[in-house]
Structures are given as structure tokens and as C-alpha cells.
Amino acid sequence: MDKDTSQKANRRPPGIYLDNQATTPTDPRVVEAMLPFFTERFGNPHSSAHAFGWDAEEAVEQARGQLASLIGAEPREVIFTSGATESNNLAIKGAARFHRQRRPHVVTLASEHKCVLESVRALEREGHRVDILPVLPDGLVDLDVLADAVTEETAVVSVMAVNNEIGVIQPLAEIAAICREKGAYFHCDAAQAVGKIALDVVALGIDLMSISGHKFYGPKGIGALYVRRRPRVRLEPLIDGGGQERGLRSGTLATPLCVGFGRAAEIAGAEMAGETARISALKTRLLEGITGRLSGVALNGHAERRVAGNLNLAFEGIDAEALMRALPRLAVSSGSACTSAAVEPSYVLQALGLPDERARGSIRLAVGRFNTEAEIDQAVEELAAAVAKLRAEGSAAAE
Ligand SMILES: *Cc1c(COP(=O)(O)O)cnc(C)c1O
């Protein structure tokens, strides 16, 4: 290989990574667990006639067990997919299409991930009736509005566990109770929650739950859908073929990805309590550092009911896109969707009813497993300096 190319390919991009809700680095322990399955242990896990197949199958089943035990499920209730996007599509479209005769109605929230909202929109084009409910100003579901919307015609209610932009944790058990009363399935997009907060699908009453490997230090390109067996949840598959994964997701499983995903789940289960405390302390250091140096900073989303690593902050008088351009060494996110030239403010922040100006002045900072105190302190300095400079320029321009 060309020497320059390989060196560039192996170099970590410069800067401080505080975008752990977009993706996380794969934990080196996860990579180590995966490696043998690319080379020596390469069998097709669905080959039942020889030891190569059995070996791979055993590894996949161990991973399924690791995932199941993290969420309180049985191993056979875990279906491997390519990620939470596919899991959300399978859960929502699969449930709605299977029950379209008697239950043509689907319910979700305006603050859900795009792949949930677009799945629901696709169902609407197929003739399903859909309700996309507003959320409260703190980002939480309005349980009274939800209870009014769910009926005996509702096939599935999709509400996420933890929001990817503002980090708020929805009241899952209360949502499940509303669904159960009407016989609707409760689907939960838990891509931002699994591995971060304790989740037990049985205790919470969840029927379908989406998981993503790369959001908790596993590899990209793998996820899972929890599908309750008792009482049985019925889905129409999206992909037809050899009938793998209980007929719900045909295709050869990616053994190395399954193994890494399982190892990530095992690590998360073992280390969650300590890690949450550490990340929470770093998050508090970040917030106090910023608010100690700057005025006009507000937190978006419920102040307490939120995941440890997330901060979504509005900076008065600041345009988030300009702020991020001024901080090329700080990897953060504005949640804005850049469609061609127009930068739209985050639809999640708009769903909270925030004024456009506040939404446009907000950024998400997401602390993760590999961040250090020194990084947090440096991020505080750079952010505070950039905001002060932009504000000074803004008031100079206004004079
Ligand atoms: C990242 C994310 C997804 C998509 O997950 P992929 O595995 O990347 O497809 C879905 N929902 C939420 C809330 C997410 O944060």
C-alpha cells in the first residue's frame, strides 16, 4: 500500500471528540474479540454440516445471550439486524403491516429519530392512519395526550427511551401501561439508552426494542430488535430469503459484528454503574465550566430526567453553525439538518416549542467512555473563548 495513504488512514483526526451520541469509538476490547472471526473462525453461522459453521454459530449465540442478558430478555427474543435504523423500520412497518386489517393506526412523537418518523410516513402513504404527537416543552411525552390517541385500532406506539439530541429519558413503564390497556404494541427505540441506563424489557413492559451497536462502543453496521415472545409479537419481515433470525431477517449474519456487539453489551453491563458516575462528573464539570465563564446559556430538555453524558445548550446571541465553524477542533453537533444550502434548525428543538433563534443557537455536547478531564477543561476554554468572540463581533456589527 502507498505509505502516505496508509498513514493518513491510520491517523486519528485532530481535536476533542464530544459527539458520542452520533457514534462512539469501538472499544479496543471489542475489536480484540472480533478479530479471529474475520480470519481463522470465518465459518457461515448457518452452515450446519461442519465444524466451521458450528464454531461461528456458537459465537453468534453467545453474543445473542450477552445482548439478551443486558436487557432482561431471552436470547431467542433478540433478532440481529444491520442497526437501529433497520430495527426501527422492521418493528414499526412489520407490526403495522401484519395487523393492518384490524389495527390500521400508528402513534409516535414529533421528537423521534428520522428513521422512526419516515417509517411512519411510509405507512401513511400505504393507507395507515398515523398520529405524530407533540411533546411537552421539556421534551417528555404528554401521557394524557398519548392516552387519548391510543385506541383499540392502534397497532404500534413508537416512543424512544433516550432522545438523541436532548438526552431526555421518557417514562417507559407509563407508556407501556397505556399501550397494554388498548392491546397496542409498545415499540421503543433504545439506540441511545442501551448500555447507558438500566433497561429491563419485562419490568418495563416493552414489546419491541431497537438497539444499535455503535452507540455503545460496539461496531457500526450491527443492531438488534428485541421481539417479545410471550405474549407473542407478530411482524411482517422486510427482507425475504433463507428465513434466518426466526424468519424475521433473512441473510447471513455478520459473525465478527455479532461477536463485537455481544462483547460491547457484556462490558456495558459490567461497567455501567461506575461509567455513569464518571461520565456524569465530566458532564457536570463541562456544564459548570461553561456557565462559570459565560452568561446567557440555557439547557434544552428536562434538567433531571436525562442520560448522564448529554448536554444540549443554547447560547444567547449565537448561531450554532458559526460557533462550530469557529471551533474546528471541537467535535460537537448542532442537530441541524443541512439540506443543500439551507440550514434548518433542529426539528427536535422545534418540537419543544423553542423559538427559532434559540434552536439555531444550540449545540449538543455528548461525553463518552474515553473522554478525559483534560479534554473537558480544554473544551470549556475553547468554547467560552469562541462564544465571547462571536458575541463581541455581533455587538460590534450592531453598533
Ligand atoms: C443512532 C440512532 C439511530 C440509528 O441507529 P443506526 O444503528 O445508526 O442505524 C436510531 N435512533 C436513535 C435514537 C439513534 O440515536
Side-chain angles (χ1 to χ4, degrees):
M1 199 200 285
D2 178 81
K3 188 155 174 277
D4 288 338
T5 318
S6 73
Q7 279 182 356
K8 176 162 170 49
N10 290 328
R11 199 160 51 225
R12 179 188 161 110
I16 299 171
Y17 189 75
L18 287 177
D19 204 13
N20 287 282
Q21 283 183 288
T23 193
T24 55
T26 312
D27 191 300
R29 295 170 287 181
V30 167
V31 176
E32 192 191 324
M34 290 168 67
L35 288 176
F37 294 91
F38 288 105
T39 49
E40 278 78 27
R41 304 175 67 180
F42 58 83
N44 183 325
H46 316 294
S47 296
S48 53
H50 51 67
F52 292 85
W54 305 331
D55 176 58
E57 188 197 15
E58 199 180 305
V60 164
E61 293 314 315
Q62 183 186 331
R64 200 187 302 281
Q66 288 166 322
L67 255 302
S69 92
L70 182 63
I71 61 168
E74 290 173 31
R76 55 196 179 147
E77 294 176 312
V78 173
I79 302 299
F80 286 116
T81 66
S82 63
T85 298
E86 184 187 335
S87 299
N88 286 341
N89 273 264
L90 173 58
I92 296 166
K93 291 177 182 170
R97 287 173 183 164
F98 192 96
H99 297 282
R100 57 157 67 84
Q101 296 304 333
R102 289 189 46 240
R103 292 179 177 267
H105 182 225
V106 175
V107 176
T108 191
L109 303 183
S111 55
E112 294 293 312
H113 194 271
K114 280 283 180 202
C115 62
V116 166
L117 295 172
E118 291 305 317
S119 292
V120 168
R121 288 291 178 213
L123 289 169
E124 188 173 39
R125 291 192 293 273
E126 290 173 18
H128 297 254
R129 198 158 53 76
V130 314
D131 274 315
I132 298 175
L133 305 178
V135 292
L136 295 168
D138 59 15
L140 296 180
V141 60
D142 186 328
L143 290 168
D144 294 330
V145 170
L146 185 72
D148 283 343
V150 181
T151 72
E152 252 119 55
E153 291 200 344
T154 309
V156 59
V157 174
S158 184
V159 177
M160 71 208 316
V162 170
N163 186 274
N164 46 302
E165 290 190 32
I166 54 177
V168 299
I169 305 171
Q170 297 289 357
L172 302 181
E174 287 84 345
I175 296 165
I178 290 169
C179 296
R180 184 132 313 167
E181 199 186 321
K182 297 286 162 45
Y185 293 151
F186 174 27
H187 166 251
C188 181
D189 173 359
Q192 295 286 348
V194 168
K196 317 287 174 62
I197 61 173
L199 284 175
D200 183 308
V201 287
V202 176
L204 291 168
I206 294 169
D207 298 306
L208 292 155
M209 189 167 85
S210 301
I211 312 173
S212 173
H214 73 97
K215 299 293 173 67
F216 66 107
Y217 314 99
K220 293 172 183 61
I222 188 151
L225 182 65
Y226 160 75
V227 183
R228 178 187 289 280
R229 278 180 71 91
R230 279 191 305 271
R232 181 152 172 228
V233 169
R234 310 292 303 270
L235 301 176
E236 199 176 288
L238 298 175
I239 299 174
D240 299 303
Q244 289 92 344
E245 299 300 275
R246 288 171 47 206
L248 289 175
R249 209 283 189 168
S250 288
T252 304
L253 285 173
T255 314
L257 299 183
C258 293
V259 168
F261 191 24
R263 180 74 178 111
E266 185 185 39
I267 293 168
E271 301 182 358
M272 193 183 300
E275 179 158 295
T276 302
R278 202 181 69 81
I279 288 176
S280 185
L282 289 177
K283 189 265 304 280
T284 302
R285 189 180 180 93
L286 181 59
L287 179 63
E288 289 177 352
I290 293 167
T291 54
R293 279 168 185 72
L294 296 170
S295 59
V297 181
L299 181 69
N300 297 319
H302 196 285
E304 285 95 42
R305 291 192 52 92
R306 58 195 303 139
V307 78
N310 172 279
L311 282 179
N312 192 303
L313 298 178
F315 296 89
E316 213 177 283
I318 291 290
D319 175 64
E321 301 303 315
L323 180 58
M324 292 194 304
R325 275 196 303 276
L327 291 166
R329 285 180 30 84
L330 198 60
V332 296
S333 155
S334 69
S336 306
C338 290
T339 8
S340 64
V343 179
E344 292 289 318
S346 148
Y347 71 91
V348 172
L349 297 181
Q350 288 181 316
L352 308 189
L354 295 182
D356 249 29
E357 199 181 275
R358 174 156 163 181
R360 286 181 193 280
S362 295
I363 60 169
R364 176 185 72 185
L365 302 138
V367 180
R369 178 176 292 169
F370 298 106
N371 287 124
T372 62
E373 269 191 8
E375 284 182 321
I376 297 297
D377 293 346
Q378 198 185 333
V380 166
E381 295 306 331
E382 290 183 13
L383 195 61
V387 169
K389 181 161 178 282
L390 286 172
R391 282 179 176 165
E393 286 168 9
S395 54
E399 273 165 22

